Amino acid sequence: MSIAAQSDPTPSSATDIILSVNNIEVIYDHVILVLKGVSLDVPKGGIVALLGANGAGKTTTLKAISNLLHSERGEVTKGAIVFEGQEVQNLSPNQLVKRGCVQVMEGRHCFGHLTVEENLLTGAFTRRDGKAAIKADIERIYDYFPRLKERRDAVAGYTSGGEQQMCAIGRAMMARPKMILLDEPSMGLAPQIVEEIFGIVQSLNEKEGVSFLLAEQNTNMALKFARYGYILENGRVVMDGDARSLAENEDVKEFYLGIAEGKRKSFREGKHYKRRKRWLA
Amino acid sequence: MRAPSEKDVAAGDVLLAVEDVSLSFGGIKAIRDVSFDIRKGEIRAIIGPNGAGKTSMLNVINGFYTPQQGRIRFKGKTRSKMRPYDAARGGIARTFQNVALFRGMTALDNIMAGRTLKMHRGLFWQMLRFGPALREEVEHRRAVEEIIDFLHIEHIRKTPVGRLPYGLQKRVELGRALAMEPDLLLLDEPMAGMNLEEKEDMSRFVLDVNQHFGTTIALIEHDMGVVMDLSDRVVVLEYGRKIADGTPDEVKKDQGVIDAYLGVAH
Amino acid sequence: MFYREAGQYKTSYAADQALFPILQDRIGIAAILLIAFVVVPLFASDFLLNSFLIPILVLSLAAIGLNLLTGYTGLLSLGTGGFMGVGAFACYKLTSIFPDANIVLLIVVSGVASAAVGSVFGLPSLRIKGFYLAVATLAAQFFLSWCFIRIPWLYNYNVSAAIEVPTRTAFGIPVTGPNATSVTRYLVALSIVVAMTWVASNIVRGRIGRTWMAVRDMDIAAELIGIRLYRTKLLAFAISSFYCGVAGAMLAFLWLGAAESESFNINQSFLILFMVIIGGLGSIMGSFFGAMLIWGLPIVLRAAPEFFGVTVRAATVEHLQFMVVGALIIFFLIVEPHGLARLWQIAKQKLRVWPFPY
Amino acid sequence: RAEAQESIFVPLLTYRTGPFAGSGIPIANGMHDYLAMLNERDGGIGGVKLVIEECETGYNNAKGVECYEAVKSKKPVVVNPYSTGITLAIIPKAAVDKIPILSMAYGLSASAVGNEFPWIFNPPATYWDGLSMMFRYIGGKEGGLDKLKGKTIGYIYFDGGYGLEPIPLLEQFAKDYGFTVKKYPVPPAEMQNQSGLWLNVRRDRPDWMIMWGWGAMNPTAVKEAAKINYPMDKFIGIWWSGGDDDARPAGADAKGYLTLNFNGVGTNYPAIQDIVKTVVDKGKSQTPKDKIGENLYNRGVYNSVLIAEAIRNAQKITGKKVVTGEDVRRGFESLKISAARWKELGLPEFGAPIEAVSCTDHNGHHAAYMQQWDGTKWVKVSDWIVPMKEKVRPLLEAAAKDYVTKNQPWPKRTEPCDKST
Amino acid sequence: MDILYKILIDPFLQMGQAPDLFVQTLWEGLVAGVLYSLIALGFVLIFKASGVFNFAQGIMMVFAALTLVGLHAKGVPAFLALALTVVVMLVLAIGIERLVLRPLVNQPDIILFMATFGLTYFLIGLGEVIFGGEPKTMITDALYLPRGSYEWKAFGGFVAFQKIDIAAVIIASVMVAGLAVFFQKTRIGRALRAVADSHKAALSVGISLEQIWVIVWFTAGIVALATGIMWGARSDVSFALQILALKALPVLILGGFTSIPGAIVGGVIIGVGEKVGEFYWGPLLGSGIESWLAYVIALVFLLFRPQGLFGERIIERI
Ligand SMILES: Nc1ncnc2c1ncn2[C@@H]1O[C@H](COP(=O)(O)OP(=O)(O)OP(=O)(O)O)[C@@H](O)[C@H]1O
Ligand SMILES: Nc1ncnc2c1ncn2[C@@H]1O[C@H](COP(=O)(O)OP(=O)(O)OP(=O)(O)O)[C@@H](O)[C@H]1O
Ligand SMILES: [Mg+2]
Ligand SMILES: [Mg+2]
């Protein structure tokens, strides 16, 4: 509440903003209003986290950005999305990928009938820089995810959940994007791998200057690696701020980080199904 | 719901034992010679890196995969081959890693479907939806409403589950499993993709199911906080092999487990 | 604002599970039934009855049958025509063996033959899925079509391999054949369809319906919660074919008055499938919408030029009609892929929040 | 609404779409153009304009019945279903609705029995007549029907009501003359895929082949016959297998192929010239000019001549100008088209004289002739061949009786017979 | 006993007694099979690339053939007409993508299947409006397709090989081989398979569905044209040809919906099975069993391999 009222400490000039979402509204099926005016900015070379409970609209926001909404009978009815200074609402997803904005979808949408390696290759569909470069990139991804190398010839549909997740992230990286929209990258991954993945995110960000917009439930991790965060509730941004200040906010601590009175709560002690506290009435 | 007591297996006895099970797909050895047991009334966690064979293990337990080698002993009866139907009959229910709800049906219908095995009225009465069939329907609806209350999903009762957010889908799935009134509940990453608050809720449900109904639970989860807090014993798999088995504290300190799975943070 | 459920509280689970829990819906249905049973017979012309209403009733019933199989259980069937044919020929045989039996009863009973045949062709459904299963039903379609010609016993050794519907009565009133008035035939068809629709909606709302939908949505999970796939699928085949069989018997006996193998060919199967898809898979109500659209639209289109006083050649009308129907099918699918039933629901939803947009 | 009363409504059920459109279109054109010509040239029949309306059936029974219902309310003087299936479906209705049905040389053969089917007419000949005429022709070539003993006759047919109909008589002939019959049914979905069947023909080597084909089945069969080197002059089709488009795709390979026909071909008739002048040239028809005079086009003309003459006859009998369906039924029952009348109509020698249609005989069992494909067109190769009425009629009577018993209660004929005019 | 003899022994005796007929039957089966395969190939292309079961393949074949013949009848030289027809098919593919597929992206298979039905209706109407419903004769000579046949005197009889059939077999084999290579080995090929798996995921990695669809529908259009020419030459070019497209179904199912080589192998099995069955066993059942035999053959195979001979494994995993 207090933080929500503060003025935005968003980056200063418009030029170093790679993606900016202005007050968008999204409706599914012509009747279900899901986003009720969401605005956010991602600075060039930044990592921004999008936090919020289930059903808050994180995925919807990401899909609105990458233009995958209309295939689910949803549409952006208001507002604007600007990527690298140009409005992109009317671009097709593939034009957006060509411009360097790729989404990794929630729930590991691998191509089930293709092998892991073929999955990675399709990720490079929009690239025109020749076979050798693609080959090199595949090796790079195998370096990041050695498990994938072992399973390179396995049909993706039969690989384990975690393997599919890695495959999906690797596939997005194959497009050599400027910006990746990551939806729940940690879901279903072993703790070690989660750290690895965030590590990869960080190194991609630092070494290759890729910007990230990260929808994540694992607030702990997300706030550790992101520089800025937005909290979504019920289709609205209820709070935003840089990662450190969010992590220190009492409410965030209690509801998203599981720290009460300075120490970690045990899951055994969870109170009985408390109703979620709302920032907005 | 069902009374917690059970005649054939007493609390603390071995409810299910996995004996020397091996499973492979073509060249892939998903499970190699794994044995462990689950005792009546406990929460048993199965952890391990991705692709270690945890889900496959659950699939073996409830008969979806037939292991090439080894046996499963459940409630004292040993079998090497079991059909999913028999497992369900015998009292094994589960939830799935990638939510496997009936997407076109409402939450209520999904949970009602969990009671199929308990409903017996034939086609004739179903056609008329009258007399015994209606009575049966109402009776089971009452049981299902209890589950709905328990899981706090009253508001989405009539929503087709395909449209629900992920967390609620997982809850409905748990509801469907509970509706079967199982003796053994297999949970495959019930908390993946949830935020902390929801994990707390879900933990509460798991504990309540375990404590109040005495349901034995096998739990796969990657959130170590949850695993360590909830489970009584933990078995760790890696590359299809069992690498550790013991109480959470023991497992946490096991160097092999730390190397293979936990990494530095924990 | 008029269509609101607010204020209508359900006090028992039975009431909550009723077919039409909302009062306005109940009134609506009562009105439709009243019109169908009383007003239409009083005012409708022969053409309207014979070429519009009776066919729609017959086709709706077949569509419901297919919907039970394809929409509810997720088993794609292209053998509907064949199963309808079994019903028609069975009814013909029955009525030649028992000429004095109540024909309405025979029409309904002939569904049993169809159910039996349907179950046989459902046998491969455990192993074969999706479009692949369609081949089993296609085999049924072509094999049955062939039987309808090659087994002369079925049509009483008639030289033209056709069945001609004789005059048959129920309760002393001629119901079939040339002496039955259109109104009688219409009322009989309507009664059968209403009764069977009610039964179908009971089935799909109960345990059996749930097991069907479970198998449709995720058969593996269904198996793991203790649903026996094979039985469930076979039952779906049997009941679905039963409905199709009755519809087939009605087609021959209450609508066309004659039938031959070609009346139940593959095109008939496709036609019914379209009705189901356009109407809405997994919706009983949708089956009616689908039948109305697919059967009714061409009739309306054909009448349209005359209505506007334009003379267009019959063949041109037909060609244009093909184009328009094709375009409209695509149009409706784009507007609402889940069929007219869903469109109807959305309309109701909008009505509920009216005058606000959402 | 004076105009409405001063006209006669003649609906034409036609099919210009669907898999049988190839045969349906020329017939529809011929039927339409002749009637239109009467309107243009003579101002209708007996001074009353004809209102001609086509209803498209697509050769589909359900649509045909719908067409019947649609035209019924407009008081048609005759319904012309143009499909055996549709005819079967509306036969029982006709008596109730009091509308005469003209199923010209198709439909239910048994409906020739006027006592049982007062409202149905199928002149000039039934399928059984057709078959018997083919046998007369074969007998002529073989030097007597008794020479058929020990030979094999192949019968390739559309596997449906239409193709099944001649089989009883064929089997009767087989018994009478001592030959064997080999049957080759063509399933409706396989009309264009007959190579397997024709291999059977090649193995069985029948001495003669008889075909009951329709639509796309015909050209395919002719091509396949040529492919297996079957002698074309031993291959005889029924009149529905003798369209120009049936033989043309095989071209020279089809040379020698025979079919029955009961109408003249070509444009060399004054009435056809009138059609060209008053209808086609004026753009009042859909017929391409080069298709006029083709066999099936002229078949359509023949059909309309029957309609027109029945109407004219009805006007004569009743003295009314605007006749009704019931009047036209009487017109049909005493229909006579002598050779002289054919000439008067501007169609000399166009058809065999129609002289035997009567109250009891709704068919007349008239003659047809054999035509042969010369590589580019049809040529008449025989005189009028008379059917074996004595063989056909008893079968018809039996079939009619059978129909009536199976469809009990069947209404007794109540319509009185007119004295022949 | 007699019936057993007729079923189990007699047909084989016949094969031995008249080997020329047996070889001829095999040849006819092969040719029919290859022609079925051509139709099936059109289905496979589209199914592979978009998961769409394209019911309109049959009418596309008719439409292509009609366009070719129609243009020729208007006085366009045969090969120019052929080129123009290819352009028409391209326009058709673009139109279909714009108006039908694009708005229906990511819908369930059955819905797209239904949409292709709408398309079928539309094309029937359009075709009849433009070309009329009369059958036309294929312009075999103008296209320099061979006529007549080779007769091979052998086995005390003869085996006739129609030159047009030989041409059909060659053309079909070349097309199948070319397409198989194109779709297995190229970037586009992989993208196609990806699209078939999941529209959504394909979109997210930047595959342009529009472009992919135009490519496959256009390719399918060309295949349809080839098929139309071949079938048209065998009988005539009419709307009735469309029914034949159904024969591609058992072929597809036998070969597996997604396999290009499967289409050809399936076609040959079905073609040969059907002709041999009809020829040797058909008469026992009163002939005309071809109408369902193909489906039963496919069904028997399916019971052993539910995904068809070459189809991708059905992934069942939870
Ligand atoms: N295709 C759809 N049709 C209708 N409603 C939808 C659809 N997709 C999502 N919704 C609704 O929109 C809301 C927001 O969903 P969204 O998936 O964006 O949430 P989320 O924040 O990503 O949640 P989670 O953490 O569970 O992934 C939910 O209430 C959901 O029910
Ligand atoms: N049906 C199958 N066919 C082929 N391989 C399979 C099949 N099921 C599982 N596997 C393989 O077996 C291994 C174990 O898979 P499993 O799903 O059990 O892993 P997991 O421990 O559940 O991993 P995660 O934590 O990522 O879900 C994986 O490598 C997977 O690819
Ligand atoms: Mg989400
Ligand atoms: Mg798993």
Side-chain angles (χ1 to χ4, degrees), chain E residues 152-164:
Chain E
W152 180 38
K153 299 260 182 293
F155 313 115
F158 73 96
V159 182
F161 298 99
Q162 296 287 311
K163 290 180 191 166
I164 184 91

CSV table of all heavy atoms in Angstrom, one decimal, chain E residues 152-164:
chain,number,residue,atom,x,y,z
E,152,TRP,N,2.1,-57.4,-73.2
E,152,TRP,CA,3.2,-58.3,-72.9
E,152,TRP,C,2.7,-59.7,-73.0
E,152,TRP,O,1.8,-60.1,-72.2
E,152,TRP,CB,3.7,-57.9,-71.5
E,152,TRP,CG,4.9,-58.8,-71.1
E,152,TRP,CD1,5.9,-59.2,-71.9
E,152,TRP,CD2,5.1,-59.3,-69.8
E,152,TRP,NE1,6.8,-60.0,-71.1
E,152,TRP,CE2,6.3,-60.0,-69.8
E,152,TRP,CE3,4.4,-59.2,-68.5
E,152,TRP,CZ2,6.8,-60.7,-68.7
E,152,TRP,CZ3,4.9,-59.8,-67.4
E,152,TRP,CH2,6.1,-60.6,-67.5
E,153,LYS,N,3.1,-60.4,-74.0
E,153,LYS,CA,2.6,-61.8,-74.2
E,153,LYS,C,3.4,-62.6,-73.2
E,153,LYS,O,4.6,-62.7,-73.3
E,153,LYS,CB,2.8,-62.2,-75.6
E,153,LYS,CG,2.1,-61.4,-76.7
E,153,LYS,CD,0.8,-62.1,-77.1
E,153,LYS,CE,0.1,-61.3,-78.2
E,153,LYS,NZ,-0.5,-60.0,-77.7
E,154,ALA,N,2.7,-63.2,-72.3
E,154,ALA,CA,3.4,-64.0,-71.4
E,154,ALA,C,2.4,-65.0,-70.7
E,154,ALA,O,1.2,-64.8,-70.8
E,154,ALA,CB,4.1,-63.2,-70.3
E,155,PHE,N,3.0,-66.0,-70.1
E,155,PHE,CA,2.2,-67.0,-69.4
E,155,PHE,C,1.0,-67.5,-70.2
E,155,PHE,O,-0.1,-67.8,-69.7
E,155,PHE,CB,1.6,-66.4,-68.1
E,155,PHE,CG,2.6,-65.6,-67.3
E,155,PHE,CD1,2.4,-64.2,-67.1
E,155,PHE,CD2,3.7,-66.3,-66.7
E,155,PHE,CE1,3.3,-63.5,-66.4
E,155,PHE,CE2,4.6,-65.5,-65.9
E,155,PHE,CZ,4.4,-64.2,-65.8
E,156,GLY,N,1.2,-67.6,-71.5
E,156,GLY,CA,0.1,-68.1,-72.3
E,156,GLY,C,-1.1,-67.2,-72.4
E,156,GLY,O,-2.1,-67.6,-72.9
E,157,GLY,N,-0.9,-66.0,-72.1
E,157,GLY,CA,-1.9,-65.0,-72.3
E,157,GLY,C,-1.3,-63.6,-72.5
E,157,GLY,O,-0.2,-63.6,-73.1
E,158,PHE,N,-1.9,-62.6,-72.0
E,158,PHE,CA,-1.2,-61.3,-72.1
E,158,PHE,C,-1.4,-60.5,-70.9
E,158,PHE,O,-2.4,-60.7,-70.2
E,158,PHE,CB,-1.7,-60.6,-73.4
E,158,PHE,CG,-3.1,-60.0,-73.3
E,158,PHE,CD1,-3.3,-58.7,-72.9
E,158,PHE,CD2,-4.2,-60.8,-73.5
E,158,PHE,CE1,-4.5,-58.2,-72.8
E,158,PHE,CE2,-5.5,-60.3,-73.4
E,158,PHE,CZ,-5.6,-59.0,-73.0
E,159,VAL,N,-0.5,-59.6,-70.7
E,159,VAL,CA,-0.7,-58.6,-69.6
E,159,VAL,C,-0.6,-57.2,-70.3
E,159,VAL,O,0.3,-56.9,-71.1
E,159,VAL,CB,0.4,-58.7,-68.6
E,159,VAL,CG1,0.2,-57.7,-67.5
E,159,VAL,CG2,0.5,-60.1,-68.0
E,160,ALA,N,-1.6,-56.4,-70.1
E,160,ALA,CA,-1.7,-55.1,-70.8
E,160,ALA,C,-1.3,-54.1,-69.8
E,160,ALA,O,-1.7,-54.0,-68.7
E,160,ALA,CB,-3.1,-54.9,-71.3
E,161,PHE,N,-0.3,-53.3,-70.3
E,161,PHE,CA,0.1,-52.1,-69.5
E,161,PHE,C,-0.3,-50.9,-70.2
E,161,PHE,O,0.2,-50.5,-71.3
E,161,PHE,CB,1.6,-52.1,-69.3
E,161,PHE,CG,2.2,-53.3,-68.6
E,161,PHE,CD1,2.7,-54.4,-69.3
E,161,PHE,CD2,2.1,-53.4,-67.2
E,161,PHE,CE1,3.2,-55.5,-68.6
E,161,PHE,CE2,2.6,-54.5,-66.5
E,161,PHE,CZ,3.1,-55.5,-67.2
E,162,GLN,N,-1.3,-50.1,-69.7
E,162,GLN,CA,-1.7,-48.9,-70.3
E,162,GLN,C,-0.5,-47.9,-70.1
E,162,GLN,O,0.1,-47.7,-69.0
E,162,GLN,CB,-2.9,-48.3,-69.5
E,162,GLN,CG,-4.1,-49.2,-69.7
E,162,GLN,CD,-4.7,-49.2,-71.0
E,162,GLN,OE1,-4.9,-48.1,-71.6
E,162,GLN,NE2,-5.0,-50.3,-71.6
E,163,LYS,N,-0.2,-47.2,-71.2
E,163,LYS,CA,0.9,-46.3,-71.1
E,163,LYS,C,0.6,-45.1,-70.1
E,163,LYS,O,1.5,-44.7,-69.4
E,163,LYS,CB,1.1,-45.7,-72.5
E,163,LYS,CG,1.7,-46.7,-73.4
E,163,LYS,CD,2.0,-46.1,-74.8
E,163,LYS,CE,2.3,-47.2,-75.8
E,163,LYS,NZ,2.3,-46.7,-77.2
E,164,ILE,N,-0.7,-44.8,-70.1
E,164,ILE,CA,-1.0,-43.7,-69.2
E,164,ILE,C,-0.8,-44.1,-67.7
E,164,ILE,O,-0.4,-43.3,-66.9
E,164,ILE,CB,-2.5,-43.2,-69.4
E,164,ILE,CG1,-2.9,-42.1,-68.5
E,164,ILE,CG2,-3.5,-44.3,-69.1
E,164,ILE,CD1,-2.6,-40.8,-69.1
